[in-house]
Each structure stands twice: as C-alpha cells, then as structure tokens.
Amino acid sequence: MRKVVVILKSESDNADNYGTLLEKHGFVPVFIPTLDFSFKNLEVLRDHLLSPYKYSGLIFTSPRSITAVRDAVQGQKLKDDWKTLENYSVGETSRELIQRTLDLDTKGHHSGNASNLADFIKTDLYNKTVTMPFLFPCGNLKQDVLQNKLSEYGYSLDSVEVYETVPHRDLERNLVALFRDEREAKSDRTIDSLLFFSPSGINYCAHVFEKHRIDLTGKRIIAIGPSTKKAIENKGITVHRTAEKPSPDYVVGALLQDT
C-alpha cells in the first residue's frame, strides 16, 4: 500500500513544493483545496498605501494580504518610501512573493507564526524609535495574537480587513470522494496522514467529517503551527505531530518522526 498524505490548504503557488518533497520521501501527495477568499476594501487599502509617511512599516501574515496589496495598487509600484520602513512577514514563501510582486524586502520570515513574529519585531526594533503604527492588511478570521503582543511591547497596528475566508466550493465533494474510494478499495493507496494548515481549514473540514460520518481512526493528523493544533484539539481530534513552520521541510520532518 502506498501512503497518501492529504494536503488540506488553500490554493497557492507553493502547493507543488509540498508535493515534490513528499514524493521524494516516498509519500503520495493528494492536494484538496480547502479555503477560498473574496477580497474587499481594496480602495481603503490603496488610500493607506499612498501614505507611507503615516506608518512605521507593513506587516504581512498571509499570502492573501500580499495579493490584496498588489491588487490595491492596480499594477503600479508601491511608493519607494515603503522600502525605507520596517517591513515584516511570516514564511519564506511569503517573503519571496513580496519581493517578486511588490519589490519590497521584509524581515522576520523565519519566525513561523504571528506570535513569534511579534517577539522578533520587539527584538528587531530594540533601541529604535518607532512611534507610528504598522499597516496590517488582514482577513476576517485573523487572531488577536499579533495585535495583543505588539500592543504589550508598545507598538500599534492599523488593521485593514481586506479579504474574507470561505470554504472552497469543492471541499465537501472532494473529501467525501477521497474517503469513499479508500473505503471501497478503489485504489492501492491508503490515507496515511492529513495536513491541516489553518484553524479555519480544520473547522470547515470537521463539518464535512461530522456530516458524512467520516472516521479518522488510524489517520495521522499533522498540524501546521500551534494555532492550528489548538483548533484541531478543540474539535476532539488528536494531533500526532506539529510542524512549527509552514514550510515543506518542516512538514516532511513531522511526518518522518513516526516512520
């Protein structure tokens, strides 16, 4: 039996990166798009982006916030003044996307999650005078960890909600078909692991599992980051391993701990 690893994440440029590395280690990756997004308030965001002098910098914690900034400036370049400010992001993939699409360098990409990023920002700004807020394009399901920690450290965020998260239109159909095929032995593959990348992702999937009485017994559940781990456990599902950072190397490392 070949071991299937189900990648439950939003559609993005780096989905192939996970698949390639998983195949290299003998797994069969199956990508099921989990989330979809609708953008909003881009004109509001554009007005903010035209006034870099009002900010200490930009903070990105999701690929969608990068897309929102790109779309808000309507194909034009960001004002060069942003390049002289303190700009931060989570994740190597996001850092590369920001460089490629916005021509902007960011720090803190190695931090892995919003909580660690806040700690990095505190250290990075030590002995620097920062009085202006950071511009923070975000989604409707953002958690308050970043804002609360930065506030504790003496920094403020100007948050602009620029996208809404919804379940992918094909999520239920794809999940039901995947488990039905395994149950009916329609292939030589068995589902070994499920990778969850966000709290919203597990929430939408859990609804499908409950509705169709899908049994996860014997499946390894891998959480990407502590927030996702907590959300999975809140659903009464055991987390087998946690990948501390949203990168293919960390995910494969978590999977190989049990093999």
Side-chain angles (χ1 to χ4, degrees):
M1 271 300 182
R2 303 180 69 198
K3 292 183 177 180
V4 170
V5 175
V6 185
I7 305 169
L8 294 152
K9 69 189 300 291
S10 61
E11 293 179 287
S12 65
D13 293 338
N14 69 333
D16 287 343
N17 296 343
Y18 286 91
T20 300
L21 196 57
L22 286 167
E23 287 177 345
K24 186 176 178 181
H25 286 275
F27 297 103
V28 179
V30 173
F31 174 52
I32 293 186
T34 308
L35 307 176
D36 212 342
F37 308 95
S38 58
F39 290 91
K40 62 181 183 179
N41 295 330
L42 295 189
E43 289 187 6
V44 175
L45 178 60
R46 177 178 171 81
D47 288 342
H48 288 287
L49 291 169
L50 291 174
S51 305
Y53 59 89
K54 294 182 179 179
Y55 296 99
S56 294
L58 273 158
I59 296 179
F60 299 93
T61 58
S62 77
R64 273 73 58 192
S65 60
I66 303 166
T67 301
V69 169
R70 181 201 67 190
D71 292 350
V73 297
Q74 300 172 346
Q76 299 178 5
K77 290 180 61 177
L78 273 179
K79 283 182 170 289
D80 285 341
D81 290 349
W82 284 107
K83 294 182 179 181
T84 65
L85 301 179
E86 308 291 345
N87 303 302
Y88 301 94
S89 66
V90 172
E92 181 63 34
T93 301
S94 289
R95 183 181 76 95
E96 292 173 357
L97 183 60
I98 294 164
Q99 287 178 326
R100 188 168 69 249
T101 61
L102 304 178
D103 190 26
L104 190 71
D105 288 325
T106 55
K107 298 176 286 186
H109 54 277
H110 58 278
S111 53
N113 58 60
S115 178
N116 291 343
L117 179 63
D119 294 336
F120 174 83
I121 290 172
K122 177 188 178 184
T123 301
D124 187 59
L125 295 180
Y126 184 72
N127 278 343
K128 293 182 182 178
T129 302
V130 174
T131 57
M132 298 291 190
F134 288 92
L135 180 57
F136 180 44
C138 59
N140 63 312
L141 299 181
K142 76 172 178 67
Q143 310 225 350
D144 294 328
V145 173
L146 181 68
Q147 183 157 347
N148 290 344
K149 269 201 163 184
L150 287 181
S151 177
E152 178 186 332
Y153 297 153
Y155 307 111
S156 62
L157 290 180
D158 186 357
S159 301
V160 182
E161 195 172 289
V162 293
Y163 67 90
E164 293 192 8
T165 305
V166 296
H168 192 276
R169 61 190 177 279
D170 296 325
L171 174 62
E172 182 173 0
R173 178 170 60 84
N174 288 339
L175 274 178
V176 170
L178 178 71
F179 280 87
R180 182 186 63 236
D181 288 350
E182 184 194 44
R183 187 174 62 251
E184 296 176 358
K186 290 185 177 180
S187 74
D188 64 344
R189 305 182 305 180
T190 181
I191 300 170
D192 175 78
S193 307
L194 292 90
L195 310 181
F196 292 98
F197 284 75
S198 68
S200 51
I202 179 57
N203 289 340
Y204 294 139
C205 289
H207 173 73
V208 177
F209 298 150
E210 293 165 9
K211 178 180 176 181
H212 294 275
R213 298 181 181 179
I214 293 173
D215 186 6
L216 299 181
T217 302
K219 314 301 182 190
R220 293 190 298 165
I221 307 301
I222 310 297
I224 289 30
S227 296
T228 304
K229 178 178 185 289
K230 183 178 179 181
I232 296 171
E233 291 174 339
N234 286 344
K235 294 294 180 183
I237 300 171
T238 299
V239 175
H240 292 77
R241 298 292 178 194
T242 302
E244 293 303 322
K245 296 183 180 181
S247 78
D249 288 332
Y250 276 82
V251 166
V252 169
L255 285 167
L256 291 178
Q257 286 184 56
D258 291 326
T259 58

